[in-house]
Amino acid sequence: MRSLLPLLLTVLTALPAQAAPTLDPNYYPHRPGTRWTYTSGETQVVGAPVTHRGVKVTPVSHQYGSTTYSQDLLEHRADGSVWLRGVNAAGRLTWYSPPLLVYPAGPLKTGQSWQAASGPLRMTVTVTGTAPLKLAAGTFNALVLRTDTVTGGRTSTQLTYFVPAFGIVRYQTADGSTIDLQR
């Protein structure tokens, strides 16, 4: 047994090292000043990180014209995951405890699914595939995410078309409306 140990160590050190997965900090865009404008007239703007209730969050404002209607407070964790910690709307903060997992660490893959729940809100998100899209903002090969949200006993389904390192390029809402990225 003692004679096998040096041989085993030699073999193990001769094997090629497996690289640890590299976390891409830009997989889910969150650089302050990043903007997306959609055909609905909404513009989403990433703000500078702030600390709220002891948690470093990145605010994403939802604006129509120069008026901000709501603001998502997103936590970008070291593992690459993105969590919804709170929403400011109409002067009222809704703080999620536990927070809601918006995106697991990337990269996302077809067939991948995750769940999140906080209070009466339950979400299941599944990456259903990819879709080629030609929009005013460009041509994309987007991941299609199906989100089933249950609240108050009612379920709604939305499709989100996500492009890594770029953001959401299309929403298909529960009522079937399509909202595309313009710029």
Side-chain angles (χ1 to χ4, degrees), residues 95-168:
W95 189 256
Y96 294 106
S97 183
L100 295 166
L101 177 61
V102 178
Y103 299 114
L108 299 177
K109 297 179 177 96
T110 298
Q112 184 176 0
S113 186
W114 62 94
Q115 296 180 335
S118 190
L121 180 64
R122 307 259 183 270
M123 294 181 352
T124 301
V125 183
T126 304
V127 182
T128 62
T130 58
L133 298 173
K134 188 171 184 168
L135 309 173
T139 302
F140 305 98
N141 191 25
L143 292 162
V144 182
L145 284 67
R146 177 191 166 116
T147 303
D148 295 306
T149 304
V150 179
T151 186
R154 303 182 82 193
T155 301
S156 67
T157 300
Q158 174 175 297
L159 297 179
T160 305
Y161 296 76
F162 173 77
V163 177
F166 194 83
I168 297 171

